[in-house]
Amino acid sequence: MIYTVKRNQVRTILIPLEKVEEVEVVLEEEGATAYILAYFVGLGNANVETRLTITHRAPQTTAEAKVRRVLSENSYCRFAGLIRIDQKASLTNSYLADDTLILSQRARAESAPSLEIKANAVRASHGATLGKINANELFYLMSRGLSEKEARQLIVKGFLQPILTRMASSERKRKDLLAKIRKL
Amino acid sequence: MYKSQIPPLKDYQFGFSDPEEFVFKSLPGLSSKVVEEISAQKDESNSMREFRLKALRIFETQPMPSWGADLSALNFNDICYYLRPSQKLYHDWNQVPVAIRRTYNRLGIPQAEKEFLAGVKAQYDSEVIYGSLLEELKMQGVIFVSMDEGLRDYRELVQEYFGKLVPPGDNKFAALNSAVWSGGSFVYVPPHVKVKLPLQAYFRINAAKIGQFERTLIIADEGSDVSYVEGCTAPSYTTDSLHAAVVEIFVKKGARVRYTTLQNWSHNVYNLVTKRARVEEEGVMSWVDGNLGSKVTMKYPSCFLFGRRSYGEVLSIAYANTGQHQDAGGKAVHLANETGSQIISKSIATGSGRTSYRGLVQVPSIVRGAKSRVVCDALMLSPQSRSDTYPLMKIYSPEVRIEHEARVGKIGEDELFYLMSRGLTENQASALIVAGFLEPIVKELPMEYAVELNRLIELEMEGSVG
């Protein structure tokens, strides 16, 4: 699956990680901008491996990729995100964040964010975090009367908010994601 | 004070070489005959000879790594695997052969020895030439000898640990080292002994096409504290040479070990090293890894955290100019509860050089309370340089706090402008910013190295801004 972004084009790309194995977003021409939102909620024995490549081929291109993953039960999810900046793609800004919540003992997460940068007048960075739900946040919500399950789902919904907001135009996808969250 | 321990990177002033004076030099190429020659020259036990031969067979069947730097120009048949510069080990500097002493004088070693250091093992080509240890340490029971001496005089202790953390089958270069290893240090620190001054070793590859295959083993017994420093150089030749070392470190309960390397091999050395530490309960392992020289470096110091509440860190500096590729990083494997790790990598690529960070943080399912933080910052000083980051996190437990961040870019225009508005030239401003960039790691180096490194950066900045 390849998405190409042309001169001065701004594209928002939503990527359900369980539906694809390889995605490439190519910022092909000057001024191209891409907002990428990738997500995954893992239940049961789900087994997902996805590789996302963001390639900057022209100067003054921008990409911002947010990856949000929630793993529960016996799920496994590997995410590899590569930001590649060609030598002529100077004045590029590219950023990738991969955040994962691990909710169960048997869930397994792998994160491999990478960079291959061949131009130096750029700003490229990435970050990754993995962990469970903050115990204090959970406790606070429960002290307000929510059950542990309700609290957990509310927090996960907040965690996935950047994704849910961008789904405003696709009611089907939104409903599916919310249904998944309710199973956690 | 080391005057020129680390030379300016532009003019490699350690590119001199002494005419080879050796007692024994094996023919180029690798075979069981060569391995047996090495073993015979060292008068080794049957078990070590067998260990070497078995490792050779493993080396021959193992493939080259399918990832990492370009090793296609490395020709194993063209390298001489053993050279012995003189017959015996000296304990007094004045007994060491003149030519060898002169090399080390030019490298500034005896001055250092006079000054503060606890004990110096200086390695010239394949044998450890000179060592001395302060009487105090001897009385405390600290052992700091060459690996050969260790095998001979502390046989049972060494054999209990040798090859247990990095076995020959681990990777192709560990197998090579296991077959032809020569030199390196053996360090043992008894329980609760704190070694106040860093133990130092110095390596130098002299003859062209010699491999340097030192093998170091450090055992820090319970509650002990020791710091070890190694610096490496090689003369400039037109042909390539190889450095495939193995370092194994055992940090026992409550012990602390810091291992500092400042590698400044000339730009025709392939530097392929396996460094690994095993850390027991409440132990602390700290790798400080400076990679300034060599044509290709592949090195990922690791901490295997076996004990509860143990901690491991890798602080890495990499510098690559045209014709260099530094592929370095670190690994942290959390095998017990409440373990912590930190990897901080600062790299600078200039000219058409390439720096790559490669790392692993791993937490299996049953481990609780693992915490890890990885920070990789890369500075690219020229438009032709290249910077890569290849981290991997394999997190199979929810009871963790794992963070990773990486940033790449050039020196900020705003910062540069600000400093220049304060009266600094562009070069001075760049040098200051780069020094600040490296500061978190440089401040962990022994003072002489830190000062030298800063001076080097300044010199480098004079030439290559933009």
Side-chain angles (χ1 to χ4, degrees), chain B residues 77-151:
Chain B
N77 291 322
D78 229 2
I79 293 173
C80 190
Y81 290 91
Y82 186 61
L83 181 142
R84 187 174 187 176
S86 78
Q87 265 310 71
K88 59 189 172 114
L89 190 66
Y90 300 94
H91 285 276
D92 182 332
W93 186 248
N94 295 311
Q95 291 178 330
V96 175
V98 170
I100 295 173
R101 247 194 292 159
R102 204 176 48 219
T103 298
Y104 279 117
N105 280 335
R106 286 171 77 173
L107 293 173
I109 306 300
Q111 294 164 290
E113 217 269 326
K114 276 180 206 133
E115 308 231 324
F116 297 109
L117 301 159
V120 176
K121 291 266 162 235
Q123 174 155 338
Y124 188 92
D125 291 324
S126 302
E127 287 292 338
V128 175
I129 289 299
Y130 169 68
S132 77
L133 195 60
L134 286 180
E135 284 310 307
E136 190 189 325
L137 287 178
K138 271 208 183 104
M139 284 199 301
Q140 287 176 304
V142 175
I143 303 169
F144 176 28
V145 295
S146 70
M147 201 64 217
D148 287 292
E149 279 177 279
L151 258 181

XYZ file of all heavy atoms in Angstrom, chain B residues 77-151:
613
model
N 41.735 -14.193 4.645
C 42.948 -14.917 4.259
C 44.168 -14.029 4.159
O 45.293 -14.508 4.084
C 42.731 -15.601 2.901
C 41.742 -16.728 3.026
O 41.751 -17.440 4.028
N 40.875 -16.869 2.051
N 43.915 -12.730 4.182
C 44.992 -11.778 3.968
C 45.585 -11.253 5.263
O 46.438 -10.386 5.254
C 44.392 -10.598 3.201
C 45.234 -10.249 2.011
O 46.247 -10.951 1.788
O 44.892 -9.271 1.343
N 45.050 -11.730 6.368
C 45.426 -11.168 7.658
C 46.334 -12.117 8.409
O 46.175 -13.331 8.373
C 44.152 -10.894 8.499
C 43.349 -9.772 7.839
C 44.511 -10.488 9.923
C 42.013 -9.556 8.486
N 47.282 -11.511 9.101
C 48.204 -12.277 9.917
C 47.634 -12.309 11.333
O 47.316 -11.266 11.889
C 49.525 -11.530 9.896
S 50.848 -12.433 10.581
N 47.476 -13.478 11.894
C 46.711 -13.543 13.141
C 47.518 -13.495 14.419
O 46.960 -13.469 15.505
C 45.795 -14.777 13.128
C 44.672 -14.595 12.142
C 44.800 -15.006 10.821
C 43.509 -13.934 12.514
C 43.788 -14.787 9.907
C 42.492 -13.705 11.602
C 42.636 -14.132 10.300
O 41.633 -13.902 9.404
N 48.831 -13.494 14.302
C 49.585 -13.474 15.557
C 50.970 -12.911 15.337
O 51.671 -13.294 14.417
C 49.677 -14.897 16.110
C 50.319 -14.965 17.470
C 49.758 -14.312 18.556
C 51.492 -15.684 17.661
C 50.360 -14.371 19.801
C 52.083 -15.756 18.904
C 51.509 -15.090 19.977
O 52.096 -15.156 21.203
N 51.346 -11.983 16.173
C 52.700 -11.472 16.117
C 53.168 -11.238 17.540
O 52.496 -10.592 18.335
C 52.733 -10.154 15.325
C 54.109 -9.523 15.166
C 54.251 -8.918 13.802
C 54.354 -8.473 16.222
N 54.329 -11.772 17.848
C 54.786 -11.672 19.224
C 56.049 -10.830 19.247
O 57.092 -11.256 18.771
C 55.081 -13.067 19.730
C 55.403 -13.074 21.189
C 55.537 -14.497 21.655
N 55.674 -14.542 23.079
C 55.736 -15.652 23.772
N 55.656 -16.806 23.128
N 55.871 -15.616 25.062
N 55.979 -9.602 19.761
C 57.130 -8.693 19.675
C 58.325 -9.001 20.565
O 59.420 -8.632 20.275
C 56.551 -7.320 19.999
C 55.309 -7.586 20.715
C 54.829 -8.947 20.351
N 58.146 -9.627 21.679
C 59.326 -9.987 22.456
C 58.997 -11.189 23.304
O 57.847 -11.557 23.441
C 59.786 -8.826 23.320
O 58.968 -8.741 24.440
N 60.000 -11.774 23.879
C 59.763 -13.071 24.497
C 58.997 -13.043 25.813
O 58.290 -13.962 26.124
C 61.096 -13.804 24.746
C 61.536 -14.790 23.685
C 60.480 -15.801 23.259
O 59.520 -15.466 22.596
N 60.662 -17.059 23.657
N 59.245 -12.018 26.595
C 58.576 -12.126 27.901
C 57.925 -10.845 28.409
O 58.043 -9.796 27.829
C 59.576 -12.630 28.944
C 60.791 -11.745 29.110
C 61.845 -12.403 29.989
C 63.114 -11.588 29.989
N 63.461 -10.990 31.252
N 57.245 -10.983 29.475
C 56.521 -9.883 30.096
C 57.462 -9.155 31.049
O 58.221 -9.777 31.762
C 55.356 -10.470 30.893
C 54.323 -9.510 31.452
C 53.580 -8.864 30.321
C 53.360 -10.297 32.315
N 57.449 -7.876 31.035
C 58.332 -7.110 31.915
C 57.577 -6.440 33.033
O 56.444 -6.037 32.865
C 59.060 -6.030 31.099
C 59.898 -6.630 30.007
C 59.399 -6.772 28.723
C 61.175 -7.114 30.282
C 60.155 -7.346 27.727
C 61.934 -7.690 29.289
C 61.418 -7.807 28.010
O 62.162 -8.387 27.025
N 58.203 -6.314 34.144
C 57.562 -5.610 35.247
C 58.190 -4.256 35.528
O 57.708 -3.481 36.321
C 57.568 -6.473 36.508
C 56.546 -7.554 36.405
N 55.226 -7.362 36.727
C 56.636 -8.825 35.953
C 54.553 -8.468 36.501
N 55.386 -9.366 36.021
N 59.304 -4.005 34.854
C 59.958 -2.722 35.036
C 60.081 -2.086 33.660
O 60.563 -2.706 32.721
C 61.341 -2.955 35.660
C 62.066 -1.650 35.932
O 61.822 -0.659 35.226
O 62.878 -1.641 36.866
N 59.660 -0.867 33.546
C 59.637 -0.179 32.270
C 60.988 -0.221 31.571
O 61.064 -0.364 30.352
C 59.200 1.270 32.504
C 59.000 2.010 31.241
C 59.753 3.033 30.763
C 58.001 1.756 30.259
N 59.287 3.447 29.541
C 58.208 2.687 29.213
C 56.954 0.846 30.149
C 57.401 2.714 28.084
C 56.143 0.885 29.021
C 56.386 1.816 28.008
N 62.059 -0.092 32.326
C 63.381 -0.007 31.698
C 63.848 -1.305 31.046
O 64.801 -1.311 30.299
C 64.420 0.455 32.731
C 64.112 1.874 33.180
O 63.890 2.742 32.359
N 64.053 2.086 34.492
N 63.155 -2.386 31.330
C 63.560 -3.661 30.740
C 62.913 -3.901 29.373
O 63.314 -4.770 28.624
C 63.165 -4.811 31.669
C 63.971 -4.841 32.945
C 63.478 -5.975 33.832
O 62.311 -6.333 33.791
N 64.384 -6.522 34.609
N 61.883 -3.125 29.096
C 61.152 -3.338 27.843
C 62.042 -2.916 26.665
O 62.725 -1.910 26.743
C 59.851 -2.501 27.861
C 59.122 -2.591 26.541
C 58.964 -2.948 29.002
N 62.050 -3.668 25.549
C 62.907 -3.326 24.398
C 62.736 -1.872 23.968
O 61.631 -1.326 23.981
C 62.409 -4.275 23.298
C 61.885 -5.447 24.026
C 61.349 -4.941 25.336
N 63.850 -1.271 23.563
C 63.885 0.173 23.272
C 62.822 0.615 22.265
O 62.130 1.603 22.466
C 65.289 0.584 22.757
C 65.268 1.999 22.225
C 66.304 0.458 23.879
N 62.705 -0.119 21.171
C 61.759 0.292 20.122
C 60.329 0.310 20.643
O 59.551 1.214 20.333
C 61.878 -0.636 18.927
N 60.016 -0.668 21.419
C 58.663 -0.745 21.950
C 58.437 0.363 22.965
O 57.400 1.021 22.984
C 58.421 -2.133 22.561
C 58.472 -3.175 21.455
C 57.064 -2.179 23.257
C 58.418 -4.588 21.935
N 59.469 0.588 23.790
C 59.364 1.660 24.781
C 59.156 3.000 24.086
O 58.392 3.844 24.523
C 60.648 1.753 25.599
C 60.482 1.375 27.044
C 61.646 1.791 27.860
N 62.842 1.036 27.525
C 64.069 1.466 27.797
N 64.267 2.629 28.346
N 65.107 0.722 27.474
N 59.867 3.155 22.967
C 59.781 4.431 22.234
C 58.358 4.659 21.719
O 57.836 5.754 21.805
C 60.768 4.404 21.060
C 61.191 5.799 20.596
C 62.237 5.731 19.519
N 61.880 4.782 18.473
C 62.755 3.982 17.874
N 64.023 4.023 18.193
N 62.364 3.132 16.949
N 57.737 3.602 21.203
C 56.358 3.733 20.723
C 55.450 4.193 21.852
O 54.662 5.117 21.706
C 55.824 2.387 20.197
O 56.608 1.983 19.093
C 54.367 2.509 19.773
N 55.621 3.548 22.984
C 54.747 3.906 24.087
C 55.073 5.274 24.644
O 54.195 5.983 25.116
C 54.777 2.826 25.162
C 53.867 1.678 24.794
C 54.352 0.401 24.581
C 52.510 1.893 24.631
C 53.516 -0.624 24.219
C 51.667 0.875 24.259
C 52.172 -0.380 24.060
O 51.336 -1.389 23.704
N 56.352 5.668 24.558
C 56.694 7.027 24.990
C 55.980 8.041 24.130
O 55.446 9.020 24.608
C 58.215 7.267 24.909
C 58.921 6.676 26.107
O 58.326 6.521 27.167
N 60.189 6.342 25.946
N 55.998 7.760 22.819
C 55.337 8.696 21.925
C 53.837 8.738 22.190
O 53.179 9.716 21.913
C 55.610 8.313 20.464
C 57.026 8.651 20.047
C 57.379 8.099 18.693
N 56.789 8.909 17.637
C 57.060 8.716 16.344
N 57.855 7.753 15.967
N 56.498 9.480 15.437
N 53.296 7.664 22.703
C 51.871 7.652 23.013
C 51.596 8.209 24.386
O 50.455 8.332 24.796
C 51.305 6.221 22.908
C 51.293 5.618 21.506
C 50.888 4.155 21.573
C 50.322 6.370 20.614
N 52.665 8.524 25.125
C 52.466 9.175 26.414
C 52.156 8.248 27.568
O 51.689 8.688 28.608
N 52.408 6.979 27.419
C 52.004 6.058 28.494
C 52.802 6.197 29.784
O 52.223 6.329 30.831
C 52.050 4.582 28.028
C 51.240 4.407 26.777
C 51.539 3.655 29.108
C 49.799 4.751 26.926
N 54.117 6.227 29.735
C 54.866 6.249 31.004
C 54.554 7.471 31.849
O 54.471 7.366 33.057
C 56.327 6.254 30.577
C 56.322 5.717 29.210
C 55.029 6.114 28.599
N 54.340 8.602 31.195
C 53.957 9.772 31.983
C 52.724 9.455 32.806
O 52.625 9.762 33.976
C 53.615 10.947 31.070
C 54.770 11.473 30.279
C 54.246 12.340 29.143
O 53.653 11.852 28.198
N 54.469 13.626 29.262
N 51.756 8.848 32.114
C 50.505 8.519 32.789
C 50.764 7.578 33.947
O 50.217 7.732 35.022
C 49.549 7.877 31.808
N 51.623 6.624 33.678
C 51.885 5.630 34.705
C 52.482 6.278 35.924
O 52.152 5.952 37.049
C 52.825 4.569 34.133
C 52.540 3.171 34.594
C 53.317 2.812 35.832
O 54.443 3.293 35.961
O 52.802 2.056 36.663
N 53.346 7.253 35.678
C 53.956 7.928 36.812
C 52.898 8.688 37.595
O 53.036 8.885 38.782
C 55.011 8.936 36.341
C 56.369 8.323 36.086
C 57.366 9.366 35.633
C 58.446 8.693 34.797
N 58.727 9.417 33.555
N 51.929 9.137 36.894
C 51.007 10.035 37.572
C 50.046 9.314 38.499
O 50.364 9.099 39.641
C 50.308 10.901 36.542
C 51.357 11.559 35.660
C 51.226 13.041 35.518
O 50.083 13.498 35.481
O 52.258 13.694 35.440
N 48.904 8.911 38.053
C 47.970 8.456 39.085
C 47.538 7.022 39.005
O 46.931 6.527 39.921
C 46.696 9.308 39.032
C 46.936 10.744 39.320
C 46.841 11.679 38.320
C 47.269 11.145 40.595
C 47.067 13.015 38.575
C 47.500 12.483 40.860
C 47.400 13.419 39.856
N 47.868 6.417 37.885
C 47.085 5.230 37.620
C 47.435 4.018 38.441
O 48.552 3.811 38.848
C 47.187 4.956 36.129
C 46.649 6.200 35.428
C 47.147 6.296 34.025
C 45.147 6.171 35.474
N 46.506 3.219 38.639
C 46.656 2.077 39.529
C 47.569 1.042 38.937
O 48.404 0.472 39.605
C 45.302 1.473 39.808
N 47.409 0.743 37.687
C 48.268 -0.281 37.095
C 48.137 -0.176 35.611
O 47.086 0.119 35.094
N 49.190 -0.395 34.898
C 49.121 -0.248 33.454
C 49.500 -1.535 32.768
O 50.533 -2.113 33.044
C 50.082 0.866 32.965
C 50.054 0.928 31.457
C 49.696 2.197 33.556
N 48.630 -1.956 31.908
C 49.000 -3.064 31.029
C 49.077 -2.438 29.643
O 48.100 -1.902 29.164
C 47.898 -4.120 31.015
C 47.754 -4.860 32.297
C 48.561 -6.137 32.284
C 48.759 -6.650 33.692
N 50.151 -6.852 33.994
N 50.200 -2.450 29.021
C 50.280 -1.851 27.693
C 50.452 -2.970 26.689
O 51.357 -3.771 26.793
C 51.451 -0.886 27.631
N 49.609 -3.027 25.740
C 49.651 -4.129 24.790
C 50.168 -3.675 23.446
O 49.644 -2.785 22.836
C 48.246 -4.698 24.628
C 48.164 -5.750 23.559
C 47.027 -6.696 23.802
O 46.557 -6.830 24.914
N 46.568 -7.347 22.762
N 51.199 -4.271 22.958
C 51.789 -3.919 21.678
C 51.623 -5.127 20.803
O 52.140 -6.187 21.089
C 53.268 -3.595 21.902
C 53.989 -3.039 20.722
C 54.070 -1.665 20.531
C 54.621 -3.878 19.825
C 54.768 -1.140 19.465
C 55.312 -3.358 18.757
C 55.394 -1.985 18.578
O 56.081 -1.472 17.535
N 50.904 -4.947 19.733
C 50.578 -6.112 18.931
C 49.966 -7.200 19.793
O 49.041 -6.923 20.518
C 51.781 -6.587 18.131
C 52.103 -5.559 17.062
O 51.162 -4.957 16.519
O 53.289 -5.342 16.787
N 50.421 -8.384 19.779
C 49.636 -9.430 20.404
C 49.982 -9.803 21.828
O 49.346 -10.634 22.405
C 49.692 -10.684 19.549
O 49.218 -10.381 18.256
N 50.962 -9.253 22.377
C 51.260 -9.646 23.759
C 51.195 -8.459 24.699
O 51.480 -7.344 24.346
C 52.662 -10.260 23.846
C 52.772 -11.642 23.248
C 52.003 -12.695 24.020
O 51.722 -12.488 25.203
O 51.673 -13.732 23.439
N 50.858 -8.691 25.875
C 50.867 -7.620 26.867
C 52.296 -7.442 27.330
O 52.919 -8.351 27.849
C 49.969 -7.972 28.048
C 50.080 -6.923 29.115
C 48.540 -8.096 27.574
N 52.843 -6.274 27.070
C 54.282 -6.096 27.260
C 54.659 -5.708 28.680
O 55.634 -6.132 29.231
C 54.793 -5.022 26.279
C 54.758 -5.581 24.870
C 56.198 -4.606 26.614
C 55.636 -6.792 24.685
N 53.912 -4.882 29.221
C 54.400 -4.311 30.474
C 53.253 -4.119 31.449
O 52.210 -3.617 31.118
C 55.045 -2.970 30.149
C 55.363 -2.119 31.344
C 56.342 -2.505 32.241
C 54.689 -0.927 31.566
C 56.637 -1.718 33.336
C 54.981 -0.126 32.661
C 55.960 -0.526 33.535
O 56.245 0.243 34.611
N 53.412 -4.531 32.613
C 52.346 -4.313 33.582
C 52.936 -4.018 34.947
O 53.989 -4.487 35.312
N 52.270 -3.234 35.670
C 52.690 -3.037 37.055
C 51.455 -2.725 37.878
O 50.475 -2.223 37.381
C 53.688 -1.890 37.158
O 53.005 -0.667 37.066
N 51.466 -3.066 39.062
C 50.280 -2.900 39.880
C 50.703 -2.317 41.203
O 51.667 -2.760 41.797
C 49.609 -4.257 40.061
C 48.187 -4.309 40.571
C 47.256 -3.575 39.637
C 47.759 -5.746 40.678
N 49.991 -1.371 41.643
C 50.345 -0.773 42.917
C 50.331 -1.809 44.029
O 49.464 -2.677 44.066
C 49.383 0.354 43.269
C 49.536 1.652 42.494
C 48.503 2.646 42.980
C 50.936 2.212 42.667
N 51.265 -1.668 44.913
C 51.385 -2.643 46.007
C 50.092 -2.748 46.799
O 49.668 -3.814 47.220
C 52.538 -2.248 46.925
C 53.908 -2.550 46.364
C 53.996 -3.982 45.871
O 53.673 -4.904 46.649
O 54.352 -4.183 44.701
N 49.465 -1.624 46.973
C 48.229 -1.583 47.758
C 47.181 -2.530 47.202
O 46.546 -3.288 47.932
C 47.695 -0.158 47.736
C 46.557 0.097 48.686
C 45.937 1.470 48.448
O 46.704 2.397 48.106
O 44.713 1.588 48.582
N 47.015 -2.477 45.880
C 46.023 -3.335 45.255
C 46.399 -4.795 45.417
O 45.550 -5.644 45.672
C 45.887 -3.000 43.769
C 45.175 -1.690 43.470
C 45.136 -1.443 41.984
C 43.777 -1.718 44.023
N 47.691 -5.047 45.265
C 48.154 -6.426 45.423
C 47.784 -6.937 46.801
O 47.332 -8.070 46.955
C 49.677 -6.493 45.250
C 50.143 -6.698 43.842
C 51.506 -7.413 43.804
C 52.000 -7.562 42.366
N 53.058 -6.604 42.024
N 47.983 -6.056 47.793
C 47.675 -6.477 49.162
C 46.190 -6.703 49.372
O 45.780 -7.538 50.162
C 48.177 -5.422 50.163
C 49.677 -5.475 50.346
S 50.216 -4.675 51.854
C 49.614 -3.020 51.626
N 45.385 -5.930 48.641
C 43.936 -6.109 48.778
C 43.451 -7.352 48.056
O 42.285 -7.708 48.141
C 43.199 -4.899 48.194
C 43.289 -3.654 49.030
C 42.608 -2.473 48.330
O 42.931 -2.120 47.213
N 41.652 -1.877 48.994
N 44.344 -7.955 47.315
C 43.973 -9.172 46.610
C 43.437 -8.923 45.212
O 42.875 -9.818 44.577
N 43.617 -7.696 44.703
C 43.154 -7.400 43.352
C 44.105 -8.030 42.339
O 45.319 -7.912 42.461
C 43.112 -5.871 43.107
C 42.735 -5.578 41.660
C 42.132 -5.210 44.063
N 43.557 -8.702 41.382
C 44.374 -9.316 40.333
C 44.175 -8.522 39.046
O 43.046 -8.304 38.611
C 43.938 -10.779 40.078
C 44.027 -11.595 41.362
C 44.799 -11.404 38.980
C 43.377 -12.965 41.263
N 45.280 -8.057 38.460
C 45.192 -7.340 37.183
C 46.402 -7.789 36.379
O 47.503 -7.265 36.522
C 45.215 -5.824 37.434
C 45.216 -4.990 36.189
C 44.643 -5.425 35.009
C 45.794 -3.723 36.200
C 44.644 -4.626 33.867
C 45.802 -2.913 35.057
C 45.228 -3.363 33.899
N 46.174 -8.807 35.548
C 47.286 -9.403 34.795
C 46.860 -9.577 33.347
O 45.707 -9.338 32.990
C 47.680 -10.776 35.383
C 48.225 -10.623 36.795
C 46.490 -11.727 35.376
N 47.800 -10.008 32.524
C 47.418 -10.311 31.150
C 46.572 -11.577 31.174
O 46.615 -12.367 32.121
C 48.654 -10.531 30.285
O 49.269 -11.750 30.660
N 45.814 -11.772 30.112
C 44.955 -12.946 30.030
C 45.785 -14.225 30.069
O 45.391 -15.221 30.676
C 44.148 -12.859 28.726
C 42.899 -13.678 28.720
S 41.728 -13.107 29.943
C 41.109 -14.659 30.440
N 46.940 -14.187 29.415
C 47.810 -15.364 29.424
C 48.258 -15.710 30.838
O 48.215 -16.862 31.261
C 49.059 -15.101 28.575
C 48.719 -15.105 27.100
O 48.386 -16.188 26.592
O 48.758 -14.033 26.485
N 48.702 -14.674 31.545
C 49.124 -14.893 32.935
C 47.966 -15.416 33.755
O 48.124 -16.294 34.598
C 49.574 -13.581 33.571
C 50.982 -13.142 33.241
C 51.284 -11.786 33.880
O 50.881 -10.756 33.324
O 51.914 -11.785 34.947
N 46.777 -14.826 33.502
C 45.594 -15.239 34.260
C 45.320 -16.716 34.102
O 45.085 -17.442 35.067
N 45.399 -17.168 32.844
C 45.146 -18.586 32.567
C 46.176 -19.465 33.241
O 45.898 -20.580 33.669
C 45.230 -18.833 31.058
C 43.916 -18.974 30.316
C 44.188 -19.238 28.854
C 43.098 -20.119 30.903
